[in-house]
Amino acid sequence: MSMTSLAKSSPSGVPIIVAENVHKHFGSFHALRGVNMSVQPGEVVVIIGPSGSGKSTFIRTINRLEEHSQGTIIVDGIELKDGQNLDAIRREVGMVFQSFNLFPHLTVLENVSLAPTRVRKVPKAQAQQRGMELLARVGIEEQAHKYPAQLSGGQQQRVAIARALAMDPKVMLFDEPTSALDPEMIKEVLDVMKGLAESGMTMLVVTHEMGFAREVADRLVFFDEGNIVEDTTPDEFYNNPQHERAKQFLGKILGH
């Protein structure tokens, strides 16, 4: 049995993420309209949908980068509400963005080891040792003493993944992590994400990379106009989409 299947057959059966009736308003714009979703430990959930459908807004509510207007979000048994429990949640949830957000004046290794020393109070030497292990895991340990500007976009995004992993999160959120990359750099980042998925990491991934979704996702969740329209397996979504909006979307991305 693989680590992934071990994680997915969690004896408790308790979801690590629960979202119930989640709404989000930006002024008069109703961005999320009663989203319901639960995620089991070790699941890889890929979220797709047209631009403006609410998918990025939704995953940003899970670590309170966006404050939801109504409903309930629980991560690893901790409810997110009224700014409470924010630090606890953010220690459990790593996030990788479209832009890399690395500190330009710090080396790659310093970028990766900064948060564990500041937030978790890990001794610097220990944090740096762990940082080197993580840089090796994402395949760029030889870049440890360079600065972000000396790296390619794909390498910078792999540093960003290592930095998020340095906090030993229970959940990783990815918000279109490859959309700012040149095509030849996309694969190297997706390969790192595949390795994470195979290790049993719980992942929510907003992406347009449909090949990745088909190969790696346990579930494919299709958003449209602020709600979940389909929540199914990748094969079922590709071969038998239930809703007209999903069929239209699939037709556009597959070119038929």
Side-chain angles (χ1 to χ4, degrees):
M1 188 181 267
S2 71
M3 286 180 70
T4 314
S5 56
L6 278 171
K8 282 167 193 160
S9 57
S10 165
S12 65
V14 176
I16 193 165
I17 298 169
V18 177
E20 293 179 347
N21 193 32
V22 173
H23 291 257
K24 173 65 182 174
H25 297 271
F26 294 100
S28 61
F29 178 59
H30 199 172
L32 297 175
R33 300 168 178 260
V35 174
N36 293 290
M37 184 196 290
S38 65
V39 179
Q40 293 294 327
E43 260 195 309
V44 179
V45 179
V46 170
I47 300 173
I48 61 171
S51 188
S53 59
K55 53 193 190 296
S56 288
T57 300
F58 174 65
I59 71 161
R60 290 167 70 90
T61 64
I62 292 172
N63 67 348
R64 201 70 168 190
L65 284 174
E66 297 289 356
E67 188 174 339
H68 57 293
S69 311
Q70 182 186 331
T72 304
I73 298 174
I74 300 169
V75 180
D76 198 24
I78 304 167
E79 185 175 352
L80 264 180
K81 57 182 180 181
D82 305 329
Q84 298 171 29
N85 304 326
L86 196 53
D87 289 343
I89 291 283
R90 288 190 177 159
R91 282 196 292 270
E92 304 294 345
V93 180
M95 186 147 187
V96 178
F97 301 88
Q98 181 176 337
S99 54
F100 320 124
N101 297 339
L102 300 174
F103 293 113
H105 63 289
L106 299 180
T107 66
V108 164
L109 182 57
E110 287 167 341
N111 265 283
V112 172
S113 57
L114 181 66
T117 56
R118 291 275 179 88
V119 179
R120 291 203 187 269
K121 308 303 182 193
V122 175
K124 187 175 179 181
Q126 185 182 329
Q128 293 203 334
Q129 181 183 344
R130 172 78 171 135
M132 287 301 295
E133 291 168 5
L134 290 168
L135 290 173
R137 183 173 180 179
V138 301
I140 49 170
E141 66 270 36
E142 74 283 357
Q143 310 293 342
H145 302 296
K146 291 185 178 176
Y147 290 88
Q150 297 173 279
L151 273 56
S152 70
Q155 289 171 328
Q156 289 188 60
Q157 191 60 294
R158 286 188 279 164
V159 175
I161 293 171
R163 179 181 59 183
L165 291 173
M167 291 292 285
D168 291 319
K170 294 184 177 176
V171 175
M172 284 283 283
L173 309 176
F174 294 85
D175 189 5
E176 301 198 14
T178 60
S179 59
L181 298 177
D182 293 334
E184 68 271 17
M185 295 175 188
I186 290 173
K187 183 180 183 301
E188 65 190 59
V189 173
L190 293 179
D191 283 347
V192 169
M193 292 168 63
K194 285 176 193 172
L196 270 183
E198 287 163 5
S199 77
M201 175 64 76
T202 307
M203 295 166 61
L204 271 70
V205 184
V206 172
T207 186
H208 296 290
E209 298 295 331
M210 299 303 291
F212 172 84
R214 195 161 198 172
E215 185 180 346
V216 179
D218 298 302
R219 283 162 59 199
L220 203 58
V221 175
F222 178 70
F223 268 71
D224 189 45
E225 296 187 342
N227 217 328
I228 294 173
V229 177
E230 300 216 11
D231 182 346
T232 185
T233 65
D235 280 349
E236 189 71 13
F237 183 81
Y238 272 92
N239 298 320
N240 189 27
Q242 297 298 303
H243 294 77
E244 191 56 40
R245 191 68 188 86
K247 291 174 187 173
Q248 291 170 3
F249 180 80
L250 206 49
K252 282 182 182 172
I253 59 171
L254 298 179
H256 55 67

